[in-house]
């Protein structure tokens, strides 16, 4: 039997070379920091979203390439989980609880109010790019609802009036300190 | 003399202003040049009193609440550092009837200790269970858990000891311990309170499980809606490693137990154990067919114990005090105690840990004090979004797995959501279907398609469009979902829907529907 000579054909260049630098760095660092973990894909996706605020669809080929997965697999995972975003969010994401215990104390009218006040529906981002509104199914604050979370800050016994105050205070910059500390504690 | 003040760092207390209170307290103490040591704790779970602070006096810890930042100066004026009189003074915290009349076997340290201080944990009995377990044969640990009668607190109430025995007996070089901290049910927060208030207790329980079944590796799968629990758990795990309670050589025993925290990503279905395992492996959280059981082929195909946070957290006391001690609490086949959560429209919401046997009525009125709105209670939903809606006539049911199942309900993770008489039960039924549609993993048709059809049928029913036919259709659909779904999401969604229809039929007949019925 004769040895066949192996020829390597570069059928695929490394994807992601045309990504914006911030996205490419975010992906590569997330991958390198978590690659050794068993079942590393979710930690990697979290790390990317923590850094960029979303998971740009154009990064999927690079993530897949780095993990030796197919693009379809990565796409399947990103789209399965409600938390992973494929669109850039506003400066702050407001997670509004829609679940039963909050419904029992007025979440439905709070939801209507929030949508009206921000001029957006769920998953939308306000015209000024400040807020994205997301539904969430329980924040574990069910004895003190209605509840919402902005970044990592939880608010209880929310009313339409308090919601307006919160937005007004934020517009005045009062919660910017909270927002920075929230970003800093993200593990 | 320096005074010690305890203020929660727990999420509900924070959501009601605990951070500003802590800040105001530190500032006011500095201004007055009072030596005050502030200890951040978990919450006792008396939420209508949060933010509640406690002051250590020579006699007892005296509570004040609910405190807002603006009250702080007045508290100093009133001499609260020595337990002084003030309109917010609640007396010795342990004498508050809500707390005094509880049996806190699992949650005894909540709000008492600094959750990330290992010395504090040990000073309150922490790691006594592990110390005992290290001196026991694995099979003896499993037997103690079996004998205690502990059943899974995540919902299915499967005997924990039997699950552990299966994993113990399963061949395999590598085994895993997985903690289900996905706590997705609305109306539940006991897992969160435990992780934020006593994280070492969970770590200890999982370590004991590892010793019992021969697993050296563990994961806590935590939902990403719980950032505060994430912070506490992260700190506690690092501390436990540094002190030798986790790692290659647990307390010099020569036995290893490694523990990692993993975050979910907002999928209710990932609370189901096989879906959770898929997620941990880095995939879509789709349900696996059973068999094989996770106990035999679980994480990465290895034998795996999957238990709820409260299940694991109940193990240390069983190993510390003995199986019989735990088993002496409870009724029937429900042994020990359950951390019950009072939620929704309730005047005194919070955590009530009682031995099984306490009735729904006692919980709703004696503890809960009726609704927050002051209106009559019309319905309660026990057991999360898949639990039945019950009317007043069921309130004498005792908290007991079999009694609830016998009444067509489910105790689940022990969450009770209260609704007053303004609730629209047709809207609740519709929401149950909608929730199922949003959270379905998509693997089987009755759930994936049925839930969407369910929303449509309820809409037509409420609109008065051929109501008799829609009712038949809805019941038929529920029957298909109940019997044809692969897992309990599709399989139990009919419970809230049908119970709403059966117990509150009047809500499904709007004026339009009544008119249509007359025609
Ligand atoms: C749709 C669905 C959601 C579930 N969510 C949770 C959950 O959030 N937490 C939990 O501990 N168990 C949950 N379970 C139950 C788990 O599948 C499993 O029974 C449990 O984690 C086993 O632990 P235990 O025996 O200690 O209760 C869920 C089950 C289903 C069908
Ligand atoms: S019942 Fe729903 S969640 Fe469960 S396997 Fe079927 S589609 Fe998935
Ligand atoms: S239901 Fe809204 S926080 Fe739990």
């Amino acid at each position: 039997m004769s040895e066949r000579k192996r020829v390597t054909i570069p059928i695929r260049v490394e994807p992601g070379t045309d990504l914006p630098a911030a996205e490419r760095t975010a992906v590569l660092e997330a991958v390198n920091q978590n690659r050794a973990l068993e079942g590393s894909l979710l930690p990697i996706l979290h790390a990317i979203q923590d850094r960029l605020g979303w998971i740009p669809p154009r990064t999927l080929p690079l993530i897949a390439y780095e993990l030796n997965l197919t693009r379809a697999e990565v796409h399947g995972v990103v789209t399965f989980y409600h938390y992973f975003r494929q669109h850039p969010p506003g400066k702050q994401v407001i997670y509004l609880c829609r679940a039963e215990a909050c419904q029992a104390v007025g979440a439905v009218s709070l939801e209507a109010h929030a949508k009206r006040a921000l001029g957006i529906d769920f998953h939308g981002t306000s015209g000024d790019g400040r807020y994205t509104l997301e539904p969430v199914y329980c924040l574990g604050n069910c004895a003190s609802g209605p509840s919402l979370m902005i970044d990592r800050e939880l608010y209880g016994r929310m009313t339409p009036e308090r919601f307006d105050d919160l937005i007004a205070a934020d517009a005045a910059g009062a919660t910017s300190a909270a927002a920075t500390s929230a970003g800093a504690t993200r593990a | 003399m320096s005074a010690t003040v305890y203020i929660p760092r727990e999420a509900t207390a924070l959501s009601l202003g605990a951070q500003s209170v802590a800040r105001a307290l530190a500032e006011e103490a500095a201004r007055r040049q009072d030596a005050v040591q502030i200890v951040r704790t978990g919450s006792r779970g008396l939420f209508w009193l949060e933010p509640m602070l406690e002051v250590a006096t020579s006699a007892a810890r005296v509570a004040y609440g609910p405190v807002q930042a603006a009250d702080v100066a007045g508290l100093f004026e009133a001499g609260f550092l020595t337990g002084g009189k003030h309109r917010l003074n609640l007396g010795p915290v342990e004498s508050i009837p809500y707390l005094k009349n509880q049996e806190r076997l699992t949650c005894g340290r909540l709000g008492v200790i600094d959750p990330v201080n290992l010395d504090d944990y040990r000073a309150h009995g922490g790691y006594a269970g592990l110390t005992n377990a290290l001196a026991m044969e694995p099979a003896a640990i499993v037997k103690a858990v079996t004998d205690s009668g502990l059943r899974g607190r995540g919902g299915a109430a499967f005997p924990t000891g039997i699950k552990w025995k299966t994993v113990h007996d399963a061949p395999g070089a590598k085994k895993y311990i997985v903690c289900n901290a996905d706590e997705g049910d609305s109306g539940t927060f006991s897992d969160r309170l435990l992780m934020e208030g006593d994280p070492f207790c969970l770590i200890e329980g999982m370590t004991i499980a590892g010793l019992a079944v021969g697993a050296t590796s563990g994961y806590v799968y935590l939902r990403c809606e719980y950032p505060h629990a994430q912070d506490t758990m992260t700190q506690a795990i690092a501390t436990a490693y540094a002190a030798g309670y986790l790692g290659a050589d647990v307390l010099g025993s020569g036995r290893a137990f490694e523990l990692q925290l993993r975050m979910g990503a907002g999928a209710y279905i990932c609370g189901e154990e096989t879906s959770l395992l898929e997620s941990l492996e880095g995939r879509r959280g789709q349900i696996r067919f059973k068999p094989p059981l996770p106990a035999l082929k679980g994480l990465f195909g290895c034998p795996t114990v999957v238990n709820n946070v409260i299940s694991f957290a109940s193990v240390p006391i069983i190993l510390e005090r003995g199986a019989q001690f735990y088993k002496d609490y409870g009724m029937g086949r429900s042994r020990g105690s359950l951390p019950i959560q009072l939620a929704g429209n309730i005047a005194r919401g919070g955590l009530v840990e009682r031995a099984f046997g306490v009735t729904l009525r006692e919980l709703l009125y004696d503890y809960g004090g009726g609704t927050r709105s002051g209106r009559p209670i019309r319905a309660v939903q026990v057991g999360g979004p898949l639990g039945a809606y019950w009317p007043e006539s069921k309130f004498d049911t005792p908290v007991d797995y079999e009694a609830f199942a016998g009444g067509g309900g489910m105790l689940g993770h022990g969450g009770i959501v209260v609704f007053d008489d303004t609730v629209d039960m047709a809207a609740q039924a519709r929401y149950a279907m909608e929730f199922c549609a949003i959270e379905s993993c998509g693997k089987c048709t009755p759930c994936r398609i049925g839930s969407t059809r369910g929303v449509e049928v309820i809409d037509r029913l409420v609109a008065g469009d051929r109501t008799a036919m829609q009712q038949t259709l809805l019941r038929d659909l529920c029957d298909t979902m109940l019997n044809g779904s692969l897992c309990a999401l599709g399989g139990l969604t009919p419970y809230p829907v049908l119970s709403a229809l059966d117990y509150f039929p009047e809500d499904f007949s709007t004026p339009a529907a009544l008119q249509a019925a007359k025609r």
Side-chain angles (χ1 to χ4, degrees):
Chain A
M1 248 201 288
S2 72
E3 284 271 310
R4 255 217 261 142
K5 204 163 167 240
R6 280 177 183 276
V7 188
T8 315
I9 305 169
I11 51 168
R12 186 163 80 162
V13 293
E14 183 191 345
T17 43
D18 52 347
L19 282 177
E23 292 179 11
R24 191 177 149 77
T25 315
V27 169
L28 292 178
E29 289 193 1
V31 169
N32 289 331
Q33 276 163 20
N34 296 290
R35 193 196 291 278
L37 300 178
E38 296 178 314
S40 62
L41 184 53
L42 261 76
I44 287 171
L45 295 176
H46 269 297
I48 295 171
Q49 181 157 314
D50 284 350
R51 187 137 161 192
L52 299 176
W54 62 307
I55 300 172
R58 57 182 174 243
T59 61
L60 299 197
L62 179 60
I63 301 170
Y65 175 78
E66 288 292 329
L67 297 177
N68 204 18
L69 296 170
T70 65
R71 259 172 84 170
E73 280 169 308
V74 179
H75 173 81
V77 171
V78 172
T79 51
F80 182 86
Y81 295 95
H82 299 302
Y83 179 73
F84 294 136
R85 309 184 51 80
Q86 290 213 283
H87 300 282
K91 272 175 73 183
Q92 296 199 306
V93 183
I94 303 175
Y95 291 96
L96 193 62
C97 179
R98 281 196 75 205
E100 290 91 337
C102 284
Q103 291 166 15
V105 286
V108 175
S109 55
L110 179 65
E111 174 185 325
H113 175 83
K115 288 177 176 173
R116 217 169 26 242
L118 300 174
I120 47 178
D121 205 341
F122 277 136
H123 315 299
T125 299
S126 59
D128 57 5
R130 265 184 178 281
Y131 305 105
T132 297
L133 189 64
E134 290 290 344
V136 69
Y137 297 89
C138 192
L139 292 162
N141 199 34
C142 324
S144 312
S147 309
L148 63 82
M149 194 179 294
I150 303 181
D151 294 329
R152 288 161 79 89
E153 299 278 329
L154 181 64
Y155 298 86
R157 291 189 208 133
M158 196 46 64
T159 59
E161 297 72 43
R162 283 197 59 212
F163 182 85
D164 291 343
D165 291 348
L166 207 60
I167 298 297
D170 178 57
T175 60
S176 61
T180 0
S181 81
T185 53
R186 189 80 183 147
Chain B
M1 196 200 80
S2 152
T4 305
V5 180
Y6 302 86
I7 309 178
R9 54 180 269 176
E10 173 275 335
T12 289
L14 293 176
S15 85
L16 301 173
Q19 197 58 32
S20 340
V21 173
R23 211 177 300 126
L25 202 89
E27 283 167 11
E28 187 65 17
R31 202 176 64 76
R32 293 168 172 264
Q33 303 192 322
D34 279 347
V36 175
Q37 195 207 349
I38 297 176
V39 176
R40 303 304 294 267
T41 60
S43 170
R44 303 251 188 188
L46 280 52
F47 288 143
W48 77 103
L49 298 175
E50 293 287 5
M52 182 171 92
L53 49 84
E54 297 175 26
V55 181
T57 70
S58 50
R61 272 161 72 158
V62 176
Y64 294 82
V67 178
Q68 287 301 312
D71 301 318
V72 167
L75 284 169
F76 275 91
E77 285 305 321
F80 87 115
L81 291 179
T82 48
K85 259 184 135 144
H86 187 276
R87 74 188 156 82
L88 298 178
N89 187 325
L90 302 163
V93 64
E94 313 260 356
S95 312
I96 299 173
Y98 193 92
L99 190 58
K100 191 173 155 208
N101 299 326
Q102 295 198 25
E103 288 142 310
R104 291 215 164 175
L105 305 184
T106 303
C107 301
R109 281 178 291 258
L110 297 193
V112 177
I113 63 167
D114 172 351
V116 291
N117 182 328
L118 199 46
D119 292 329
D120 219 359
Y121 180 62
R122 280 183 301 222
H124 288 83
Y127 277 122
L130 178 67
T131 307
N132 289 345
L134 280 169
M136 292 162 72
E137 287 296 318
I141 304 175
V142 173
K143 184 167 184 310
V145 173
T146 309
D147 291 348
S148 75
L150 177 66
R151 290 163 72 181
R153 302 295 189 231
F158 187 82
T160 305
I162 294 181
K163 188 183 285 183
W164 288 21
K165 184 166 184 345
T166 310
V167 179
H168 171 272
D169 293 347
K174 179 115 190 135
K175 297 178 184 178
Y176 287 99
I177 305 296
V178 172
C179 173
N180 187 340
D182 200 51
E183 196 161 61
D185 290 357
S186 167
T188 68
F189 41 76
S190 59
D191 295 349
R192 182 179 66 70
L193 284 186
L194 193 288
M195 288 183 285
E196 291 182 23
D198 197 11
F200 292 119
C201 181
L202 171 59
I203 296 172
E204 182 180 355
M206 292 182 71
T207 310
I208 294 171
L211 294 175
V213 305
T216 53
S217 206
Y219 287 96
V220 176
Y221 184 90
L222 175 64
R223 66 200 302 256
C224 66
E225 293 85 347
Y226 283 1
H228 304 87
Q230 180 186 4
D231 291 343
T232 320
M233 285 305 302
T234 304
Q235 263 180 291
I237 290 174
T239 304
Y241 265 107
Y245 284 94
L246 288 173
D249 183 12
V250 173
L251 288 184
S253 65
R255 328 252 298 259
F257 192 67
E258 310 279 348
L259 185 61
Q260 271 188 46
L261 181 66
R262 283 295 174 85
M263 300 310 290
Y268 177 75
I269 196 59
C270 288
E272 197 283 340
E273 57 186 3
T274 62
S275 167
L276 186 157
L277 295 173
E278 286 290 303
S279 185
L280 268 181
E281 293 184 16
R283 285 194 289 274
R284 295 162 68 87
Q286 275 194 319
I287 300 291
R288 293 178 183 170
F289 288 102
K290 285 195 267 193
L293 292 173
L296 298 173
K297 268 185 186 301
L299 191 60
F300 301 107
C302 301
T304 303
V305 169
V306 184
N307 274 133
N308 172 255
V309 173
I310 299 295
S311 309
F312 281 124
S314 299
V315 167
I317 196 169
I318 293 170
L319 270 289
E320 181 196 347
R321 311 284 288 268
Q324 193 60 41
F325 167 82
Y326 192 78
K327 194 180 184 166
D328 283 345
Y329 291 86
M331 73 172 274
R333 287 172 48 217
S334 307
R335 309 311 312 175
S337 62
L338 183 69
I340 296 149
Q341 302 122 87
L342 297 180
N345 196 335
I346 185 98
R348 296 194 292 264
L351 184 78
V352 180
E353 182 174 355
R354 281 288 307 265
F356 288 92
V358 59
T359 67
L360 209 42
R361 193 179 299 280
E362 287 173 75
L363 290 164
L364 294 172
Y365 295 102
D366 299 353
Y367 289 90
T371 62
R372 192 202 291 176
S373 61
R375 305 180 67 96
I377 298 179
R378 178 150 183 252
V380 299
Q381 186 181 32
V382 184
L386 309 176
Y389 283 102
W390 276 4
E392 150 94 42
S393 60
K394 297 265 193 186
F395 289 178
D396 291 312
T397 310
V399 167
D400 164 65
Y401 293 115
E402 280 65 42
F404 264 72
M410 172 176 75
L411 200 43
H413 187 46
I416 301 177
V417 178
V418 180
F419 295 82
D420 73 9
D421 61 352
T422 60
V423 66
D424 172 357
M425 295 308 297
Q428 297 309 122
R430 182 189 196 277
Y431 172 81
M433 283 291 189
E434 187 193 355
F435 181 73
C436 182
I438 294 168
E439 298 297 338
S440 170
C441 86
K443 188 149 176 162
C444 68
T445 319
C447 166
R448 186 183 66 242
I449 309 287
S451 51
T452 299
R453 293 290 95 88
V455 172
E456 296 163 358
V457 175
I458 294 173
D459 280 346
R460 286 198 296 270
L461 174 59
V462 174
D465 173 7
R466 290 161 294 171
T467 52
M469 188 184 104
Q470 306 301 349
Q471 283 228 18
T472 311
L473 213 53
L474 183 59
R475 286 183 189 281
D476 192 58
L477 176 65
C478 282
D479 186 61
T480 304
M481 290 176 71
L482 207 114
N483 294 299
S485 296
L486 184 55
C487 86
L489 179 54
L492 297 182
T493 293
Y495 277 79
V497 175
L498 292 178
S499 57
L501 190 58
D502 289 340
Y503 295 122
F504 307 94
E506 60 276 20
D507 287 22
F508 291 79
S509 343
T510 55
L514 287 177
Q515 267 182 1
K518 271 190 218 136
R519 272 204 298 269

